[in-house]
DNA sequence: CTGCCAACGTTGGCAAGACCAACAGTTCCT
DNA sequence: AGGAACTGTTGGTCTTGCCAACGTTGGCAG
């Protein structure tokens, strides 16, 4: 009767940051496994998503949108370019910059990734019902927005045109 | 008037795993900075907490309680031993094992760490009110428990004698 | 008792992620 | 004109989560 020899100390079980780290590790595994099956990592998905939504932009902007360091953006874009999912061309208007754009293949690929990522979300949130999921996610958004402001410049946390009471689904 | 040039793509802003990773990164920074001021990392705090709550145990057990790999436990215990916060002695009853125990200094040190960690929690949860914090934490516990079961052996998720008042269900 | 398997602690390694520092080329501002 | 700020790149650090191998020890089947 003691297979349950493992049990985190109560103090940790009540510490949100510890719980978050545990859960984030699980989440990374679930998402990571799926993306790995298509040969990419999570940053590639973030980059493709930003480009798909906002259109072509410089690597620096890409980094700001995805919260990635400039140096990491360099690596990610290089890998995506190799796969033909994006193009990277010098900006004639500002010769410091590269203009990064998604290709058709990139857009299609991103759709496939999105499905896999969506699956992972369901697995992650499995124990929560609909209402709990919404409250949980809302709290996450609130906190991420709050802490992002401290470092970054933007105030995207309270963005117009996205208040959705019902938040139905698409 | 476009300092808010940064804004994660909407698809990411609605993806719990992405939000979790962002927030977990912030949390790690907040906790990490504070622990660093006392010369330790997060794992040291976890180990000390487990030993403080459950008493002396083998390194393997310590790893199970804290969700740490055996190899990482070796490193952590070595560092804690160097600082005189724990002792590590061979178990006469089972010579494969080391018995790890907290010292008096270790217990006192853990208290100081606990205060710092607690501070970090407040900073992390700042944007949430009392009720939101409880619901958020409860959801975390639920999910961590759910996903821990899949790998580990134990069923600590539904442990008796710890039902909190706010922990209602949906 | 022997032989085998499981568990333990240790070492050494890997990959990912989050960062940081420095650099040369460019642009902007004064 | 000159300095400050930005861009992309290279190369590095540190932490975390793993995994493989090894020698030692314990438990168990035969």
């Amino acid at each position: 009767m003691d297979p349950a020899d493992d049990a985190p100390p109560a103090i940790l079980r009540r510490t949100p940051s510890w719980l978050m780290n545990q859960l984030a590790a699980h989440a990374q595994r679930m998402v990571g496994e799926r993306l790995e099956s298509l040969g990419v990592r999570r940053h590639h998905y973030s980059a493709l998503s930003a480009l798909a939504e906002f259109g072509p932009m410089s690597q620096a902007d890409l980094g700001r949108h995805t919260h990635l360091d400039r140096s990491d953006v360099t690596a990610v874009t290089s890998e995506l370019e190799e796969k033909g999912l994006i193009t990277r061309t010098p900006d004639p208007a500002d010769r410091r910059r590269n203009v990064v754009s998604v290709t058709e293949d990139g857009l299609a690929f991103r759709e496939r990734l999105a499905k896999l990522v969506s699956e992972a979300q369901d697995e992650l949130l499995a124990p929560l019902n609909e209402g709990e999921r919404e409250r949980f996610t809302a709290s996450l958004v609130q906190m991420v927005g709050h802490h992002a402001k401290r470092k970054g410049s933007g105030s995207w946390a309270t963005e117009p045109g996205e208040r959705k009471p019902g938040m139905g689904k698409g």
Side-chain angles (χ1 to χ4, degrees), chain A:
Chain A
M1 232 10 154
D2 44 283
D5 201 290
D6 64 331
I11 182 106
L12 293 184
R13 256 178 304 164
R14 283 189 264 99
T15 304
S17 68
W18 185 84
L19 293 164
M20 290 233 11
N21 282 326
Q22 295 295 316
L23 194 53
H26 285 298
Q28 287 210 32
R29 217 172 21 81
M30 296 176 209
V31 173
E33 280 173 1
R34 286 173 169 86
L35 297 189
E36 189 184 7
S37 73
L38 292 185
V40 293
R41 295 188 310 275
R42 148 168 103 72
H43 290 340
H44 299 110
Y45 175 65
S46 299
L48 286 176
S49 295
L51 291 169
E53 174 164 339
F54 301 115
M57 67 184 84
S58 73
Q59 294 182 197
D61 283 344
L62 188 48
R64 281 185 278 268
H65 280 299
T66 55
H67 298 178
L68 282 180
D69 191 78
R70 299 207 303 281
S71 56
D72 298 321
V73 172
T74 297
V76 166
T77 49
S78 294
E79 289 154 3
L80 290 175
E81 192 181 24
E82 247 178 51
K83 293 173 185 291
L85 301 174
I86 63 164
T87 62
R88 178 164 47 170
T89 63
D91 185 343
D94 185 339
R95 295 174 28 228
R96 291 173 299 183
R97 295 181 175 162
N98 286 341
V99 176
V100 184
S101 317
V102 223
T103 63
E104 286 297 322
D105 282 4
L107 280 178
F109 189 72
R110 200 205 70 85
E111 297 293 326
R112 298 176 58 195
L113 296 180
K115 281 196 179 64
L116 296 181
V117 170
S118 180
E119 277 179 30
Q121 307 309 304
D122 279 342
E123 191 182 344
L124 177 67
L125 302 176
L128 302 188
N129 64 36
E130 199 57 33
E132 289 170 329
R133 292 186 189 200
E134 287 197 15
R135 281 195 293 269
F136 180 75
T137 306
S139 291
L140 281 178
V141 169
Q142 220 175 323
M143 285 186 280
V144 172
H146 173 81
H147 293 295
K149 272 200 287 191
R150 303 206 37 169
K151 269 264 173 173
S153 50
S155 56
W156 60 269
T158 51
E159 222 170 68
E162 189 157 2
R163 302 318 284 298
K164 251 114 155 258
M167 191 104 189
K169 71 315 272 26

